[in-house]
Amino acid sequence: FALNFVEQLLNQIPKSFNVHNFVSKFDMTDTINTVVHHEIILYNNLLSTIHSSLITLQKGLKGMIVIDEELDSLNRRILANKVPELWLRHSFPSILTLRAYMDDLNQRIDFMQKWVTGSRPKSFKIGAFFHPEEFLTAVLQLYARKHSVPFDTLVWRTKITDYVSGDKIDTEPENGIYAEGLYVEGAKWDVMSKTLTECGQRELISTMPVIHLYPSE
């Protein structure tokens, strides 16, 4: 069973990013591109850690190498459906089970891959970033430069849009960004009244519509 599970996990690992292609394709003087460059290096490091640890465990389970204490710990975490501590040392923060973590990882990588192999998205999944705060700081810096205002005078304002997801958005906002995939716990967004309202008994967590985040002095 353990060997079968390890092989399933190996098949679930998404492809690494081609960092060289990204650097040659995108303008690296752009602050946002610098942030993405940093992000894909972190993701590649995580993917490499996951892949190499599973390959080593696979060899141990096949009897090709001796299973030491570290491999035994890795195996026990995987069988308990928990993310191995070795991965978490190189990972974005997560409290998910192992299966849910792999799904989450694939969704994050999918968002980033579409960006690095295509073009900058019109709506951003803030949760796909290792360091969302670095990305948001970069957006503020661009605004400060564009409008010649001191960076430290800026704050974020938010406006809830009518878009349920970013798929239908084809133009960027004049200032700031569209952010999607943000959750609210213990409440939900009422589309009709355009306010937060109480959630039902079984709807503890709900997804907000696309939010327009825009800088303001």
Side-chain angles (χ1 to χ4, degrees):
F1 173 76
L3 187 59
N4 189 27
F5 193 17
V6 167
E7 282 165 359
Q8 279 177 28
L9 289 170
L10 279 166
N11 288 330
Q12 277 186 279
I13 302 172
K15 278 186 182 175
S16 296
F17 295 96
N18 189 322
V19 179
H20 177 73
N21 277 6
F22 177 78
V23 172
S24 57
K25 180 180 175 182
F26 288 85
D27 174 14
M28 295 313 292
T29 60
D30 183 313
T31 321
I32 288 178
N33 289 340
T34 307
V35 171
V36 177
H37 180 233
H38 186 216
E39 289 282 326
I40 63 177
I41 288 171
L42 289 171
Y43 272 115
N44 277 358
N45 186 27
L46 171 61
L47 294 172
S48 172
T49 301
I50 294 172
H51 186 264
S52 61
S53 66
L54 288 174
I55 289 290
T56 308
L57 180 57
Q58 187 183 45
K59 286 178 181 174
L61 293 170
K62 285 180 175 177
M64 294 162 71
I65 58 169
V66 176
I67 292 185
D68 59 11
E69 197 176 319
E70 192 176 316
L71 273 187
D72 184 51
S73 168
L74 179 74
N75 190 37
R76 277 189 279 110
R77 294 278 296 187
I78 285 171
L79 288 175
N81 195 25
K82 291 180 178 175
V83 181
E85 280 149 6
L86 171 66
W87 300 7
L88 289 172
R89 287 202 289 272
H90 299 273
S91 174
F92 44 86
S94 181
I95 55 168
L96 297 172
T97 62
L98 177 55
R99 283 186 173 89
Y101 177 88
M102 291 304 286
D103 288 341
D104 181 44
L105 176 62
N106 273 279
Q107 285 171 22
R108 287 164 171 263
I109 298 279
D110 183 54
F111 170 73
M112 287 288 181
Q113 278 289 13
K114 283 176 182 168
W115 186 343
V116 303
T117 56
S119 58
R120 190 175 293 182
K122 303 292 186 287
S123 176
F124 297 92
K125 292 183 177 173
I126 301 293
F129 290 85
F130 257 80
H131 299 294
E133 69 285 358
E134 281 185 14
F135 170 65
L136 293 172
T137 300
V139 176
L140 286 181
Q141 284 171 342
L142 286 174
Y143 180 90
R145 268 189 234 130
K146 181 180 171 184
H147 297 277
S148 302
V149 294
F151 173 78
D152 56 6
T153 64
L154 296 175
V155 293
W156 285 110
R157 303 268 183 229
T158 56
K159 180 174 183 277
I160 311 298
T161 73
D162 293 327
Y163 297 108
V164 178
S165 76
D167 300 342
K168 302 281 189 290
I169 298 174
D170 49 19
T171 53
E172 295 174 24
E174 191 178 338
N175 289 308
I177 56 162
Y178 289 128
E180 63 177 304
L182 295 170
Y183 299 100
V184 60
E185 188 175 341
K188 66 179 179 182
W189 184 255
D190 187 305
V191 179
M192 300 304 288
S193 65
K194 297 190 188 300
T195 56
L196 281 173
T197 182
E198 282 190 42
C199 55
Q201 282 187 322
R202 297 186 180 183
E203 327 174 281
L204 181 63
I205 295 171
S206 61
T207 309
M208 290 293 287
V210 175
I211 300 173
H212 180 196
L213 284 169
Y214 58 97
S216 173
E217 286 186 78

